[in-house]
Amino acid sequence: MMPITRVGNQSVAILSRNKVAGYFVPKSALDIIEFKLAKIGHVIDYLYDK
């Protein structure tokens, strides 16, 4: 096993009893994703009465 601090620029899954307990993605992988805010006020207004 390799300590999480030595994996470098790779994603890491943390297992507990062979089940995924966590999944860590390096910040550098998220730098290429562009986030856009969605305007959903009209949807919230519609759902408010339901």
Side-chain angles (χ1 to χ4, degrees):
M1 256 190 274
M2 184 182 302
I4 194 170
T5 57
R6 294 187 56 207
V7 296
N9 200 20
Q10 299 176 14
S11 300
V12 177
I14 305 297
L15 303 177
S16 175
R17 296 187 176 119
N18 293 329
K19 293 184 179 180
V20 176
Y23 193 75
F24 297 94
V25 178
K27 182 184 179 300
S28 60
L30 300 177
D31 288 340
I32 60 173
I33 298 174
E34 182 179 323
F35 294 99
K36 295 181 181 178
L37 294 176
K39 296 181 181 181
I40 61 167
H42 64 284
V43 175
I44 301 298
D45 293 340
Y46 172 78
L47 293 174
Y48 185 74
D49 294 332
K50 305 297 176 212

Coordinates of all heavy atoms in Angstrom, one line a residue:
M1 N 0.8 -1.2 0.0 CA 0.0 0.0 0.0 C 0.9 1.3 0.0 O 1.9 1.3 0.6 CB -0.9 0.0 1.2 CG -2.3 -0.3 0.9 SD -3.4 0.0 2.3 CE -3.2 -1.6 3.2
M2 N 0.4 2.3 -0.6 CA 1.1 3.5 -0.7 C 0.4 4.6 0.1 O -0.9 4.7 0.0 CB 1.2 4.0 -2.2 CG 2.0 5.2 -2.4 SD 2.1 5.7 -4.1 CE 2.7 4.3 -4.9
P3 N 1.1 5.4 0.9 CA 0.4 6.5 1.6 C -0.2 7.5 0.6 O 0.3 7.7 -0.5 CB 1.6 7.1 2.4 CG 2.7 6.1 2.4 CD 2.5 5.3 1.2
I4 N -1.3 8.0 1.0 CA -2.1 8.9 0.2 C -1.2 10.2 -0.2 O -1.4 10.7 -1.3 CB -3.4 9.4 0.8 CG1 -4.3 10.0 -0.2 CG2 -3.1 10.3 2.0 CD1 -5.7 10.3 0.3
T5 N -0.3 10.5 0.6 CA 0.6 11.7 0.3 C 1.6 11.4 -0.8 O 2.2 12.3 -1.4 CB 1.4 12.1 1.5 OG1 2.1 11.0 2.0 CG2 0.4 12.6 2.6
R6 N 1.8 10.1 -1.2 CA 2.7 9.8 -2.2 C 2.1 9.4 -3.6 O 2.8 9.0 -4.5 CB 3.6 8.6 -1.7 CG 4.4 9.0 -0.5 CD 5.4 7.9 -0.1 NE 6.2 7.5 -1.3 CZ 6.8 6.3 -1.4 NH1 6.6 5.4 -0.5 NH2 7.5 6.1 -2.5
V7 N 0.8 9.6 -3.8 CA 0.2 9.2 -5.0 C 0.4 10.2 -6.1 O 0.1 9.9 -7.3 CB -1.3 8.8 -4.8 CG1 -1.5 7.6 -4.0 CG2 -2.1 10.0 -4.4
G8 N 0.8 11.4 -5.7 CA 1.0 12.4 -6.8 C -0.2 13.0 -7.3 O -1.1 13.4 -6.5
N9 N -0.4 13.1 -8.6 CA -1.5 13.8 -9.2 C -2.5 12.8 -9.8 O -3.0 12.9 -10.9 CB -0.9 14.6 -10.4 CG -1.8 15.7 -10.8 OD1 -2.7 16.1 -10.1 ND2 -1.7 16.2 -12.0
Q10 N -2.8 11.8 -8.9 CA -3.8 10.7 -9.3 C -5.0 10.7 -8.4 O -4.9 11.1 -7.2 CB -3.1 9.4 -9.3 CG -2.0 9.2 -10.2 CD -1.3 7.8 -10.0 OE1 -1.9 7.0 -9.4 NE2 -0.1 7.7 -10.5
S11 N -6.1 10.3 -8.9 CA -7.3 10.1 -8.0 C -7.1 8.9 -7.1 O -6.4 7.9 -7.5 CB -8.5 9.9 -8.9 OG -8.7 11.0 -9.7
V12 N -7.7 8.9 -5.9 CA -7.5 7.8 -5.0 C -8.8 7.4 -4.4 O -9.6 8.3 -4.0 CB -6.5 8.3 -3.8 CG1 -6.4 7.3 -2.8 CG2 -5.2 8.7 -4.3
A13 N -9.0 6.1 -4.3 CA -10.2 5.6 -3.7 C -9.8 5.1 -2.3 O -8.8 4.4 -2.2 CB -10.9 4.5 -4.5
I14 N -10.6 5.4 -1.3 CA -10.3 4.9 0.1 C -11.3 3.8 0.3 O -12.5 4.0 0.2 CB -10.5 6.0 1.1 CG1 -9.6 7.2 0.8 CG2 -10.2 5.5 2.5 CD1 -8.1 6.9 0.8
L15 N -10.8 2.6 0.6 CA -11.7 1.5 0.8 C -11.8 1.1 2.3 O -10.9 1.2 3.0 CB -11.2 0.2 0.1 CG -11.0 0.4 -1.5 CD1 -10.4 -0.8 -2.1 CD2 -12.3 0.8 -2.1
S16 N -13.0 0.6 2.7 CA -13.2 0.1 4.0 C -14.0 -1.2 3.8 O -15.1 -1.2 3.3 CB -14.0 1.1 4.8 OG -14.4 0.5 6.1
R17 N -13.4 -2.3 4.2 CA -14.0 -3.6 4.0 C -14.4 -3.8 2.6 O -15.5 -4.3 2.3 CB -15.1 -3.8 5.0 CG -14.6 -3.8 6.4 CD -15.8 -4.2 7.4 NE -15.3 -4.2 8.7 CZ -15.7 -3.4 9.7 NH1 -16.7 -2.6 9.5 NH2 -15.2 -3.5 10.9
N18 N -13.5 -3.5 1.6 CA -13.7 -3.6 0.2 C -14.9 -2.8 -0.4 O -15.4 -3.1 -1.4 CB -13.9 -5.1 -0.2 CG -12.7 -5.9 0.0 OD1 -11.6 -5.3 -0.1 ND2 -12.8 -7.1 0.4
K19 N -15.3 -1.8 0.3 CA -16.3 -0.9 -0.2 C -15.7 0.5 -0.2 O -15.0 0.9 0.7 CB -17.6 -0.9 0.7 CG -18.3 -2.2 0.6 CD -19.6 -2.2 1.4 CE -20.3 -3.5 1.3 NZ -21.6 -3.5 2.0
V20 N -16.1 1.3 -1.2 CA -15.5 2.7 -1.3 C -16.1 3.5 -0.2 O -17.3 3.7 0.0 CB -15.9 3.3 -2.7 CG1 -15.4 4.7 -2.7 CG2 -15.2 2.5 -3.8
A21 N -15.2 4.1 0.6 CA -15.6 5.0 1.7 C -15.3 6.4 1.3 O -15.9 7.3 1.9 CB -14.8 4.6 3.0
G22 N -14.5 6.6 0.3 CA -14.2 8.0 -0.1 C -13.4 8.0 -1.4 O -12.8 7.0 -1.8
Y23 N -13.5 9.0 -2.2 CA -12.8 9.1 -3.4 C -12.2 10.5 -3.5 O -13.0 11.5 -3.5 CB -13.8 8.8 -4.6 CG -13.1 8.6 -5.9 CD1 -12.4 7.4 -6.2 CD2 -13.1 9.6 -6.9 CE1 -11.7 7.2 -7.4 CE2 -12.4 9.4 -8.1 CZ -11.8 8.2 -8.3 OH -11.1 8.0 -9.5
F24 N -11.0 10.6 -3.6 CA -10.3 11.9 -3.6 C -9.7 12.2 -5.0 O -9.1 11.4 -5.6 CB -9.1 11.9 -2.6 CG -9.6 11.8 -1.2 CD1 -9.7 10.5 -0.6 CD2 -10.1 12.8 -0.4 CE1 -10.2 10.3 0.7 CE2 -10.6 12.7 0.9 CZ -10.6 11.4 1.4
V25 N -10.0 13.4 -5.5 CA -9.6 13.9 -6.8 C -8.7 15.1 -6.6 O -9.0 16.0 -5.8 CB -10.8 14.3 -7.7 CG1 -10.3 14.8 -9.0 CG2 -11.8 13.1 -7.8
P26 N -7.5 15.1 -7.2 CA -6.6 16.2 -7.0 C -7.1 17.5 -7.6 O -7.9 17.5 -8.6 CB -5.3 15.8 -7.8 CG -5.8 14.7 -8.7 CD -7.0 14.1 -8.1
K27 N -6.8 18.6 -7.0 CA -7.3 19.9 -7.4 C -6.9 20.2 -8.9 O -7.7 20.8 -9.6 CB -6.7 21.0 -6.5 CG -7.1 22.4 -6.9 CD -6.4 23.4 -6.0 CE -6.9 24.8 -6.3 NZ -6.6 25.2 -7.7
S28 N -5.8 19.7 -9.3 CA -5.4 19.9 -10.7 C -6.4 19.3 -11.7 O -6.5 19.8 -12.8 CB -4.0 19.4 -10.9 OG -4.0 18.0 -10.7
A29 N -7.1 18.3 -11.3 CA -8.1 17.7 -12.2 C -9.3 18.6 -12.3 O -10.0 18.5 -13.3 CB -8.5 16.3 -11.7
L30 N -9.6 19.4 -11.3 CA -10.7 20.2 -11.3 C -10.4 21.6 -12.0 O -11.4 22.3 -12.3 CB -11.2 20.5 -9.9 CG -11.7 19.2 -9.2 CD1 -12.1 19.5 -7.7 CD2 -12.8 18.5 -9.9
D31 N -9.2 21.9 -12.2 CA -8.8 23.2 -12.8 C -9.3 23.3 -14.2 O -9.5 24.4 -14.7 CB -7.3 23.4 -12.7 CG -6.9 23.7 -11.3 OD1 -7.7 24.1 -10.4 OD2 -5.7 23.6 -11.0
I32 N -9.5 22.2 -14.9 CA -9.9 22.2 -16.3 C -11.4 22.3 -16.5 O -11.9 22.4 -17.6 CB -9.3 21.0 -17.1 CG1 -9.8 19.7 -16.5 CG2 -7.8 21.1 -17.1 CD1 -9.4 18.5 -17.3
I33 N -12.1 22.1 -15.4 CA -13.6 22.1 -15.5 C -14.1 23.5 -15.3 O -13.7 24.3 -14.4 CB -14.2 21.2 -14.4 CG1 -13.8 19.8 -14.6 CG2 -15.7 21.3 -14.4 CD1 -14.2 18.9 -13.5
E34 N -15.0 23.9 -16.2 CA -15.6 25.3 -16.2 C -17.0 25.1 -15.6 O -17.8 24.4 -16.1 CB -15.6 25.9 -17.6 CG -16.2 27.3 -17.6 CD -16.2 27.9 -19.0 OE1 -15.3 27.6 -19.7 OE2 -17.2 28.6 -19.3
F35 N -17.2 25.8 -14.5 CA -18.5 25.8 -13.9 C -19.4 27.0 -14.3 O -18.9 28.1 -14.4 CB -18.4 25.8 -12.4 CG -17.7 24.6 -11.8 CD1 -16.4 24.6 -11.5 CD2 -18.5 23.4 -11.6 CE1 -15.8 23.5 -11.0 CE2 -17.9 22.3 -11.1 CZ -16.5 22.3 -10.8
K36 N -20.6 26.8 -14.6 CA -21.5 27.8 -15.0 C -22.7 27.8 -14.0 O -23.3 26.8 -13.7 CB -22.0 27.7 -16.4 CG -20.9 27.8 -17.5 CD -21.5 27.6 -18.8 CE -20.4 27.7 -19.9 NZ -20.9 27.5 -21.2
L37 N -23.1 29.0 -13.6 CA -24.3 29.1 -12.7 C -25.6 29.0 -13.6 O -25.7 29.6 -14.6 CB -24.3 30.4 -11.9 CG -23.1 30.5 -10.9 CD1 -23.2 31.9 -10.3 CD2 -23.2 29.5 -9.9
A38 N -26.5 28.2 -13.1 CA -27.8 28.1 -13.8 C -28.8 29.0 -13.1 O -28.8 29.1 -11.9 CB -28.2 26.6 -13.8
K39 N -29.6 29.6 -13.9 CA -30.7 30.4 -13.4 C -31.9 29.5 -13.3 O -32.5 29.1 -14.2 CB -30.9 31.6 -14.4 CG -29.7 32.5 -14.5 CD -30.0 33.6 -15.4 CE -28.7 34.5 -15.5 NZ -28.9 35.6 -16.3
I40 N -32.2 29.2 -12.0 CA -33.3 28.3 -11.7 C -34.4 28.9 -10.9 O -35.2 28.2 -10.3 CB -32.8 27.0 -11.1 CG1 -32.1 27.3 -9.8 CG2 -31.9 26.2 -12.0 CD1 -31.8 26.0 -8.9
G41 N -34.4 30.2 -10.7 CA -35.4 30.9 -9.9 C -36.8 30.5 -10.3 O -37.6 30.3 -9.4
H42 N -37.1 30.4 -11.6 CA -38.4 30.1 -12.0 C -38.8 28.7 -11.6 O -40.0 28.4 -11.3 CB -38.5 30.3 -13.6 CG -37.6 29.4 -14.3 ND1 -36.3 29.5 -14.5 CD2 -37.9 28.2 -15.0 CE1 -35.8 28.6 -15.2 NE2 -36.7 27.8 -15.6
V43 N -37.8 27.8 -11.6 CA -38.1 26.4 -11.1 C -38.4 26.4 -9.6 O -39.4 25.7 -9.2 CB -36.9 25.5 -11.4 CG1 -37.2 24.1 -10.9 CG2 -36.7 25.5 -12.9
I44 N -37.7 27.1 -8.9 CA -37.9 27.2 -7.4 C -39.3 27.8 -7.1 O -40.0 27.3 -6.3 CB -36.8 28.1 -6.7 CG1 -35.4 27.5 -6.9 CG2 -37.1 28.2 -5.2 CD1 -35.3 26.1 -6.4
D45 N -39.6 28.9 -7.9 CA -41.0 29.5 -7.7 C -42.1 28.5 -8.1 O -43.1 28.4 -7.4 CB -41.1 30.7 -8.7 CG -40.2 31.8 -8.2 OD1 -39.8 31.9 -7.1 OD2 -39.9 32.7 -9.1
Y46 N -41.9 27.7 -9.1 CA -42.9 26.7 -9.5 C -43.0 25.6 -8.4 O -44.1 25.2 -8.0 CB -42.5 26.0 -10.8 CG -43.3 24.8 -11.2 CD1 -44.6 25.0 -11.7 CD2 -42.9 23.5 -11.0 CE1 -45.4 23.9 -12.1 CE2 -43.6 22.4 -11.3 CZ -44.9 22.6 -11.8 OH -45.7 21.6 -12.1
L47 N -41.9 25.2 -7.9 CA -41.9 24.1 -6.9 C -42.4 24.6 -5.5 O -42.8 23.8 -4.7 CB -40.5 23.5 -6.7 CG -40.0 22.7 -8.0 CD1 -38.6 22.3 -7.8 CD2 -40.9 21.5 -8.3
Y48 N -42.3 25.8 -5.2 CA -42.7 26.4 -3.9 C -44.2 26.1 -3.6 O -44.5 25.8 -2.5 CB -42.5 27.9 -3.9 CG -42.7 28.5 -2.6 CD1 -41.8 28.3 -1.5 CD2 -43.9 29.3 -2.3 CE1 -42.1 28.9 -0.3 CE2 -44.1 29.8 -1.1 CZ -43.2 29.7 -0.1 OH -43.5 30.2 1.1
D49 N -45.0 26.1 -4.6 CA -46.5 25.8 -4.4 C -46.8 24.4 -4.4 O -48.0 24.0 -4.1 CB -47.3 26.5 -5.5 CG -47.2 28.0 -5.5 OD1 -47.0 28.6 -4.4 OD2 -47.3 28.7 -6.5
K50 N -45.9 23.5 -4.7 CA -46.2 22.1 -4.8 C -46.1 21.4 -3.4 O -45.6 21.7 -2.5 CB -45.3 21.3 -5.7 CG -45.2 22.0 -7.1 CD -46.6 21.8 -7.7 CE -46.6 22.5 -9.1 NZ -47.8 23.1 -9.4

